Amino acid sequence: MKKLLLLSTLSVVLFNCNKKPEAPAANEVSADTTATTEKVTDTLGAKSFCYMGVTGKDTVFVSIDDNLGTITGKMATKNSEKDSNKGTLSGIKSGDTLKLTYEFASEGVSGNKNDIYFIQTKDGLKEGIGERDAETGTKYANEKKIKYEGGRNLKTADCSTVTKALQ
């Protein structure tokens, strides 16, 4: 009986020696009542940009919406000595290049189309100049030969001013 009692006591002592100490219960963290609110930035929604360019007495107004690289918008050219035109822009953004199709009305005729490319810079847009396809006259013959020097330069503008001009 003494042996049994000694073995039982020894077992309990060894069992408790190998037992890991219990971690103290974590204090519950109460909600911070002075939590700051952060402004949520919508990175997926459409981004709107407005531009205006003046060359002599002629003015170009452009508003575009960039929805994850899909571009839509409006453009109007107000010329002093020839017919003005107004229409819609649609296309894609590839890097810093806007590859757009401009569908417009000019000289009383609607349904005109022209490809128009812009390089987007920190200051605005630079229009691409290049040889047109002989068949259509509306598309660029070779995208790699488009030059962005010498074209119209459009500067970032107040959207309320541009929107009024586009109506």
Side-chain angles (χ1 to χ4, degrees):
M1 178 83 163
K2 286 184 183 183
K3 286 184 181 181
L4 185 59
L5 186 57
L6 184 63
L7 277 175
S8 299
T9 307
L10 187 60
S11 299
V12 170
V13 169
L14 289 176
F15 181 75
N16 284 331
C17 287
N18 288 336
K19 191 174 181 184
K20 294 181 182 178
E22 290 182 25
N27 294 339
E28 279 190 41
V29 178
S30 62
D32 187 3
T33 57
T34 60
T36 59
T37 57
E38 293 183 28
K39 182 179 177 185
V40 176
T41 303
D42 179 14
T43 58
L44 297 178
K47 311 291 183 285
S48 296
F49 303 96
C50 297
Y51 304 96
M52 185 172 75
V54 178
T55 306
K57 294 181 180 180
D58 302 336
T59 308
V60 178
F61 300 94
V62 174
S63 74
I64 60 171
D65 295 320
D66 181 352
N67 190 1
L68 299 174
T70 301
I71 307 295
T72 57
K74 294 181 179 182
M75 183 167 131
T77 304
K78 298 198 176 191
N79 296 314
S80 65
E81 295 185 14
K82 55 184 178 177
D83 283 347
S84 299
N85 57 64
K86 186 185 290 190
T88 60
L89 296 166
S90 61
I92 62 166
K93 182 175 183 176
S94 177
D96 61 355
T97 305
L98 305 179
K99 299 179 176 185
L100 306 173
T101 299
Y102 178 42
E103 190 168 345
F104 61 99
S106 180
E107 298 179 4
V109 179
S110 60
N112 301 303
K113 282 187 181 182
N114 263 344
D115 280 357
I116 185 166
Y117 288 13
F118 291 103
I119 289 285
Q120 200 168 30
T121 66
K122 63 178 177 145
D123 299 324
L125 300 176
K126 287 186 174 190
E127 182 181 4
I129 303 295
E131 186 179 330
R132 296 291 176 162
D133 177 37
E135 268 185 50
T136 64
T138 62
K139 298 189 179 291
Y140 289 108
N142 186 346
E143 288 184 18
K144 294 179 183 177
K145 292 185 178 181
I146 298 172
K147 298 193 185 312
Y148 294 93
E149 298 302 321
R152 293 184 282 195
N153 288 316
L154 310 177
K155 300 292 181 190
T156 305
D158 178 47
C159 283
S160 62
T161 303
V162 173
T163 302
K164 286 178 186 175
L166 292 172
Q167 292 179 353

